[in-house]
Amino acid sequence: MNMNKFVIPFLLITAFLAVGCSDDEPKDVVNEIKMSISAETGTYIPWGSDTPVECMLVMSEDNPGVWEPLGFNSIKWFTYERGHEYYLSVERTILANPPMDAPDRTYSLLSILQDRIVTEPEIPVDKEINSEEDIEYYDMCPFNKYAIEKEIIVNENGEISYADGHSLPSYDNARIWLECILDKADPNWLKFNKTPYMAIYSFVLSPLTDEIRLVRNESSGPMFKEVIPESEFAHITQSMKPGEELRYALILANVYKKGLQKLEFTIKKQ
């Protein structure tokens, strides 16, 4: 008996069945979509928790008019900044077999189509600031939201570093970084992350002048050269002796130029 008559048809039938079964298996659905992200934030309750957590508010093109919560780190390669309104192109993957304790979809950034800063209209300072006492604090302030390095080292060559030896960029590119240390257990945590409690400006109190200057913080803190102007930096590098130090202070201020918090640091000559 010629066994090939039976084996070959059997193998073909098995192959067709295998292909048919694989086609029936659920697959991830991947699409490129446009997504808007609000300058306002919202809250959601994570799986397995009873505590609300702040998050982004997003609206996708296939669900117009509906703002939905999405975690701050839910879009791969995208970093959200408060006070910004975005329009993104993202790759959305709807998972065929999502984990039981995780969302059924993931997002990856393809491109930022629009990034617009949205803050309330800036209001000029309505009185002359001649002393620290002239700075008016905003509602519920001062508070403990931001922190900075307490000591900055400068050598005679103008090189800048922290006390732990970590080097900073050059004078023109260095920044005084503001770190948000607000405790999420604070009952006003959500309120303190709204625009009126964001450190948009800094009033600079220098030991070398009675003038109080107002500088802008940008997104992560003021530039070093805005806080320590060239004349003061030259005094530090050329006139101060090793071991001498100067104490500066920043009074962080919101978009209304109302005080939020006072931070102090020293500049020490190496």
Side-chain angles (χ1 to χ4, degrees), residues 33-40 56-70 75 78 80 84-90 107 109 111-116:
I33 64 168
K34 303 298 187 296
M35 176 183 287
S36 298
I37 301 183
S38 174
E40 294 292 326
M56 300 184 292
L57 290 175
V58 305
M59 179 170 59
S60 59
E61 63 181 352
D62 51 2
N63 196 14
V66 178
W67 290 102
E68 300 175 295
L70 187 66
I75 303 177
F78 172 70
Y80 176 81
H84 287 237
E85 181 180 86
Y86 300 92
Y87 188 53
L88 310 178
S89 174
V90 301
Y107 301 93
L109 177 67
S111 62
I112 298 177
L113 304 176
Q114 184 177 4
D115 177 0
R116 188 168 68 92

Side-chain angles (χ1 to χ4, degrees), residues 9 21 24 26 42 84 86 133 175 207 238 241:
C21 290
D24 291 338
H84 287 237
Y86 300 92
E133 289 71 28
R175 184 183 297 277
Q238 300 171 21
K241 297 179 180 179

Side-chain angles (χ1 to χ4, degrees), residues 148-149 152 160 162 168-178 216-227 250:
I148 57 175
E149 288 289 332
I152 296 175
I160 309 168
Y162 292 135
L168 275 71
S170 65
Y171 172 76
D172 286 332
N173 297 310
R175 184 183 297 277
I176 296 179
W177 291 94
L178 297 178
R216 192 171 181 92
N217 292 332
E218 305 301 336
S219 60
S220 304
M223 297 300 292
F224 186 89
K225 64 183 178 181
E226 298 293 331
V227 175
L250 299 178

